[in-house]
DNA sequence: TTATATGCAAACAATTTGCATCCTG
DNA sequence: CAGGATGCAAATTGTTTGCATATAA
């Protein structure tokens, strides 16, 4: 199919290697969001000679081919998620790092208005809500 | 006044040094958004022995005291802006880096709903729209 | 066969930190 | 005067790159 790894790589004139298959597979399975290092550690379990450099290079390719979305969920590193077509944004817990996805139905209208207003051609919108999840709010109360 | 540099630093039990005054002043004057390095270069014109480390340390303090907001406008560094109380978000031109501020009237309602829905206590919202400004769209047309 | 991908180690760049010294309060 | 702040240089850390070798097509 058109959004398969094979198809995407072929379309870009790139090769389908075991490493790429593995990394893409890990991202497919995980519902969540992984850092390069987390992907590296998971992948090493099946391909022990894999290098972190290859993980980074693969992620860049997958990002460029539109298969993967790169997120700045925390301030110190990137996280990666498979592009599944359903536009969504993220809520991040500042305490435990939990990430929740949400979709904002009316947001795109707002963005379109803004685009027209400022003469911008908007290609993507990144929304990140920061706060504390239910669990962490409870813990804070106990600690104090 | 309550949002002055002096007041804020006093309240946090910290000192008012020439370096801090200078850096805060630069951020006040600039309507835009500056990276640590840009602030450093500007500040050196008036205080030639200033170190980049002090710029970073000062920015961290100003951020912690709520005077300064740290933004990830581009992927490779932070930008800093003085907190002026008016909530706003940013549109960034992927080609020339131009930044436009906008306010989203109804967004906070949406965020509040989401907060309730997921049991989150939201402390801040970051919205970044990426695209191409009017000028850069025009240039692309000429080049192609 | 041949250009692309990999693994390794070294390089990078933004940011942080250790420490001796300085200076605000 | 004392503890926080500074300047300098070195350290850190996520990410990238050079290069020789391996491999997909």
């Amino acid at each position: 199919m058109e959004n398969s790894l094979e198809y995407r790589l072929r379309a870009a004139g790139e090769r389908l290697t075991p490493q790429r298959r593995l990394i893409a597979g890990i991202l497919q399975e995980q519902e969540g969001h992984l850092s390069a290092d987390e992907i590296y550690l998971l992948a090493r379990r099946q391909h022990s000679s894999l290098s972190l450099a290859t993980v980074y290079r693969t992620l860049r390719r997958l990002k460029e081919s539109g298969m993967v979305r790169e997120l700045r969920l925390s301030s110190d590193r990137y996280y990666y998620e498979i592009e599944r077509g359903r536009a969504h944004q993220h809520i991040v817990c500042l305490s435990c790092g939990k990430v929740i996805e949400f979709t904002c139905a009316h947001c795109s209208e707002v963005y379109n208005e803004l685009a027209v207003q400022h003469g911008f051609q908007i290609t993507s919108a990144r929304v990140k809500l920061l706060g504390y999840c239910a669990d962490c709010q409870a813990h804070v109360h106990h600690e104090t």
Side-chain angles (χ1 to χ4, degrees), chain A residues 16-17 35 74 83 85 99 113 119 121 126 130 140 144:
Chain A
L16 183 56
T17 64
S35 66
S74 82
E83 191 66 73
V99 177
E113 264 182 56
Q121 175 196 341
R126 297 304 184 99
L130 300 168
V140 170
T144 4

Side-chain angles (χ1 to χ4, degrees), chain A residues 19-134:
Chain A
Q19 290 91 335
R20 289 176 177 186
R21 212 191 281 272
L22 175 58
I23 291 168
I26 285 172
L27 284 168
Q28 295 278 12
E29 288 163 27
Q30 292 291 130
E31 191 54 49
H33 320 79
L34 299 174
S35 66
D37 199 63
E38 289 168 341
I39 294 166
Y40 173 64
L41 291 174
L42 285 171
R44 292 265 291 195
R45 310 220 276 231
Q46 290 168 69
H47 188 307
S48 60
S49 67
L50 180 70
S51 76
L52 186 54
T54 295
V55 174
Y56 277 109
R57 280 188 282 229
T58 299
L59 289 171
R60 192 198 298 169
R61 286 294 153 79
L62 297 179
K63 177 178 55 164
E64 286 166 358
S65 74
M67 272 197 74
V68 156
R69 192 169 163 209
E70 188 180 57
L71 307 166
R72 200 89 198 184
L73 295 180
S74 82
S75 65
D76 57 346
R77 74 196 58 212
Y78 286 111
Y79 288 82
Y80 299 86
E81 67 178 16
I82 280 279
E83 191 66 73
R84 291 194 166 84
R86 336 182 209 100
H88 65 268
Q89 304 297 344
H90 301 88
I91 310 180
V92 183
C93 177
L94 292 168
S95 174
C96 69
K98 185 186 300 165
V99 177
I100 289 183
E101 299 183 354
F102 72 92
T103 55
C104 178
H106 300 293
C107 287
S108 63
E109 297 168 23
V110 176
Y111 304 151
N112 285 337
E113 264 182 56
L114 285 163
V116 172
Q117 214 173 103
H118 293 101
F120 260 73
Q121 175 196 341
I122 304 292
T123 56
S124 68
R126 297 304 184 99
V127 180
K128 185 170 64 168
L129 303 183
L130 300 168
Y132 297 92
C133 71

